[in-house]
Amino acid sequence: SRPILDMSYSRHFLDFQGSSIPSSMKKLVVTKLSQNFREAVTLQQDSPVPLPGDGDLLVRNRFVGINASDINYSAGRYDASVKPPFDIGFEGVGDVVALGLSASADYTVGQAVAYVKAGAFAEYTVVPARQAVPLPSATPEFLTLMVSGATAYISLKELGDLSEGKKVLVTAAAGGTGQFAVQLAKKAKCHVIGTCSSDEKGGFLKSIGCDRTINYKTENVESVLRKDYPEGVDVVYESVGGKMFDLAINSLAIKGCLIVIGFISGYQNPTGLQPIKAELLPAKLLKKSASIRGFFLNHYLSEYKMALKHLLEMYERGDLVCEVDFGDMSPEGKFTGLESVFRAVDYMYMGKNIGKIVVELPHSVNSKL
């Protein structure tokens, strides 16, 4: 039996398919700070299913998104004051299976929603109703927009100053957020160059409008840029760090801008960052009147709802490809269930994914009442 204070709401603890909501669930918890995700995170089998408060929704997660920064979070790099154990996972899509009284003014049981909130790597997550995004259906494509799409949209809009004819270089262009940087820059009538690690990824990039793809495994990125773009590139959307960052700085045009949205090459390192040739940076920037801007989505939340609204409209009109990678081509097959989050994180750091990595959480309907 569940402790439900107002018994008039006890019906909410049957989900909309008529099965009972269990009292315990699986979830992933950071039990030790480490940049090694498998060392840091534990799968807990019997955590209590949380109860929604008055303004909350209880969401049964159907799909959860994998982000490069999951490792930063489990390594304790975002907030040094937070000590383990703590929940992990940033974004989910699922169905509302229970809700508080005031939340029921805007939501109903059975409604599909997406959200961004710590603690998504769980079978059920309590989400404040004001943070949820109502969806027409619980499909994984919507998940690609929540963090990855919004990062590309807001950073390019606020910092990129895109206009027709500008040359835009996107590193890790076939990844979760790179795919959106490519498409949004094309929509601004820019010339887009994308780096990637395979011909298959290059084919995907061409299919979403990339003008020039550079497979860094078979081509020398620096030579290609020097030869094909002797005047340099106007904007770089950079998420790799290390040597790629140095190369991108050297490739900037006069008044060019490099936007740092991450540095995945450093996330698994104990120190977090690979060294860059920073001692020459002031001279390089001065010589070109160039700039470097950092972008962290949490600092632009005032722009978030507007960005997401535009992205959702574009997707629903068929103007945006939201590529999802379920890991079907990974050695052990599709990412299904919370236990496969570990494999999904490994897969991303091996640079295998095309599009956003998503894990599906299957729901076994238990006893009908």
Side-chain angles (χ1 to χ4, degrees):
S1 65
R2 307 293 307 277
I4 301 159
L5 297 179
D6 179 348
M7 290 310 292
S8 66
Y9 286 91
S10 62
R11 66 187 182 84
H12 288 312
F13 284 86
L14 297 181
D15 78 17
F16 62 98
Q17 292 175 331
S19 59
S20 61
I21 294 171
S23 56
S24 64
M25 65 172 186
K26 294 179 186 175
K27 71 173 180 177
L28 295 185
V29 178
V30 176
T31 49
K32 171 190 170 187
L33 297 183
S34 169
Q35 74 284 347
N36 180 327
F37 192 81
R38 287 177 181 271
E39 271 183 21
V41 179
T42 303
L43 174 63
Q44 295 192 347
Q45 298 280 355
D46 54 356
S47 296
V49 171
L51 286 165
D54 179 59
D56 295 333
L57 311 173
L58 181 65
V59 177
R60 188 184 73 218
N61 293 315
R62 298 266 302 276
F63 303 99
V64 293
I66 304 295
N67 291 284
S69 46
D70 289 328
I71 279 186
N72 285 340
Y73 199 56
S74 61
R77 289 184 184 133
Y78 284 159
D79 185 350
S81 68
V82 178
K83 301 287 182 263
F86 56 86
D87 295 350
I88 191 168
F90 293 129
E91 55 185 344
V93 162
D95 306 301
V96 175
V97 291
L99 71 175
L101 182 55
S102 58
S104 67
D106 299 305
Y107 288 91
T108 57
V109 167
Q111 189 159 1
V113 294
Y115 64 88
V116 176
K117 179 181 178 283
F121 291 163
E123 291 178 316
Y124 295 85
T125 303
V126 167
V127 180
R130 68 181 189 284
Q131 290 178 21
V133 178
L135 299 175
S137 60
T139 52
E141 285 73 19
F142 291 113
L143 196 55
T144 67
L145 303 174
M146 299 301 293
V147 172
S148 301
T151 295
Y153 185 101
I154 300 171
S155 63
L156 289 173
K157 178 175 175 286
E158 296 292 316
L159 311 179
D161 192 24
L162 300 185
S163 58
E164 186 170 356
K166 281 197 171 178
K167 294 184 278 295
V168 178
L169 171 65
V170 181
T171 63
T177 186
Q179 64 172 328
F180 295 109
V182 167
Q183 293 178 80
L184 294 168
K186 280 306 292 178
K187 287 186 191 314
K189 299 184 174 168
C190 296
H191 176 92
V192 183
I193 309 131
T195 70
C196 61
S197 60
S198 71
D199 291 342
E200 188 190 1
K201 291 184 180 189
F204 166 67
L205 290 173
K206 288 192 175 100
S207 77
I208 58 171
C210 201
D211 297 287
R212 174 69 161 95
T213 62
I214 308 173
N215 178 349
Y216 64 81
K217 296 277 178 78
T218 59
E219 296 179 272
N220 183 301
V221 180
E222 194 167 13
S223 303
V224 170
L225 291 172
R226 202 182 300 122
K227 177 174 168 287
D228 293 358
Y229 305 95
E231 302 293 308
V233 295
D234 302 296
V235 179
V236 183
Y237 184 85
E238 216 298 273
S239 60
V240 176
K243 288 174 182 163
M244 188 64 85
F245 174 90
D246 284 327
L247 195 151
I249 286 289
N250 293 340
S251 304
L252 282 175
I254 303 291
K255 296 184 183 174
C257 174
L258 184 145
I259 304 169
V260 178
I261 64 114
F263 39 92
I264 191 170
S265 63
Y267 292 173
Q268 287 184 306
N269 292 355
T271 55
L273 267 173
Q274 289 188 323
I276 55 167
K277 295 176 178 145
E279 65 275 7
L280 302 172
L281 204 51
K284 286 178 179 177
L285 296 177
L286 177 67
K287 186 177 160 188
K288 295 177 175 176
S289 294
S291 62
I292 301 173
R293 300 288 301 270
F295 178 87
F296 187 47
L297 186 58
N298 289 10
H299 298 150
Y300 287 85
L301 294 181
S302 59
E303 305 293 315
Y304 184 77
K305 279 210 157 144
M306 173 276 301
L308 201 57
K309 180 171 176 285
H310 282 184
L311 288 164
L312 286 166
E313 286 168 357
M314 287 164 70
Y315 173 63
E316 286 169 352
R317 282 199 309 267
D319 288 346
L320 201 61
V321 172
C322 298
E323 188 70 17
V324 172
D325 192 332
F326 277 119
D328 294 302
M329 307 308 289
S330 67
E332 292 170 60
K334 184 175 176 178
F335 303 133
T336 306
L338 285 171
E339 49 281 353
S340 70
V341 167
F342 299 97
R343 282 201 299 123
V345 169
D346 289 344
Y347 181 74
M348 174 172 46
Y349 278 91
M350 288 187 287
K352 300 291 188 192
N353 59 300
I354 296 180
K356 174 87 180 183
I357 300 178
V358 173
V359 174
E360 183 172 6
L361 305 186
H363 173 58
S364 56
V365 174
N366 46 9
S367 61
K368 292 270 181 190
L369 296 183

